[in-house]
Amino acid sequence: MSKIVIIEDTEKIREELKNFLIRYGYEAVAPINFENIINDTLKEEPNLILLDINLPIYDGYYICREIRKISDVPIIVVTSRDTEMDELMSMNLGADDFVTKPYNTQILLARIETILRRVQGSNIRDTLIYNDLKLNLSNGSVTYKGKVAELTKNEIKIITCLYKYKGKIVSRDDLMDFMWNADVFVDDNNLSVNVARLRKKLEGLGMQKNIETRRGLGYILP
């Protein structure tokens, strides 16, 4: 189920949109506290954001620009500001679409579905998700509850292999073969060092329960 965050300060519109999206099978989140709206939104790890421009504390332009610095999540600006300059600014700041109020809910729904179909279709091959940990192969990063860390080539190989056999123990020999060609000699300590570095990055994201060592057997992503 795709999750949509609605950043809208008008309670009536916010609730109508939320109920409308839920009725059509989406998980809809509509925060009412705008003080930390950027971090709160990203923590939700939404599939799409509906963003008003006229908002308390930070306007929609600022929020769009800040989100784009760290996330490619699709953003549809939904606003009563209907000038060409408003639309141009929104698109230049990274919005994927621009819808003016009052809007036809079915047309808005169609635009949401179009964007999600396009984005999820292209991302599905590049993204692996397991226990709230999202591995983005296209940019070599992992995301956990809104926090992002970049991985090295070896770290990506380790986590990809553990994803492939998630919930099962992967032997050190199999992991070594997956990372390096079997006919190339690699010091066994290299694997331990890379696993330790990867664990530290995952712990830095707040994921305390990550790669486990099963003594004499190998590693497992529980």
Side-chain angles (χ1 to χ4, degrees), residues 145-207:
K145 296 186 176 179
K147 292 184 177 180
V148 182
E150 294 183 1
L151 301 182
T152 66
K153 181 180 177 181
N154 285 339
E155 291 164 354
I156 291 172
K157 285 186 174 181
I158 293 172
I159 196 72
T160 300
C161 185
L162 293 176
Y163 262 101
K164 184 178 179 181
Y165 298 101
K166 52 193 175 187
K168 299 179 182 178
I169 297 173
V170 181
S171 71
R172 288 180 64 87
D173 288 342
D174 287 343
L175 202 49
M176 292 276 285
D177 288 344
F178 187 83
M179 294 180 63
W180 299 286
N181 292 331
D183 57 347
V184 177
F185 174 76
V186 178
D187 189 333
D188 186 66
N189 286 332
N190 282 349
L191 178 60
S192 300
V193 170
N194 280 282
V195 169
R197 287 174 178 167
L198 178 56
R199 276 195 184 119
K200 188 174 182 179
K201 287 187 178 180
L202 297 179
E203 289 171 0
L205 297 176
M207 189 177 187

Side-chain angles (χ1 to χ4, degrees), residues 56-74:
I57 305 179
Y58 304 109
D59 66 25
Y61 295 137
Y62 176 83
I63 293 170
C64 186
R65 182 170 58 246
E66 293 303 304
I67 288 176
R68 272 293 166 267
K69 290 180 181 177
I70 52 179
S71 174
D72 292 326
V73 59

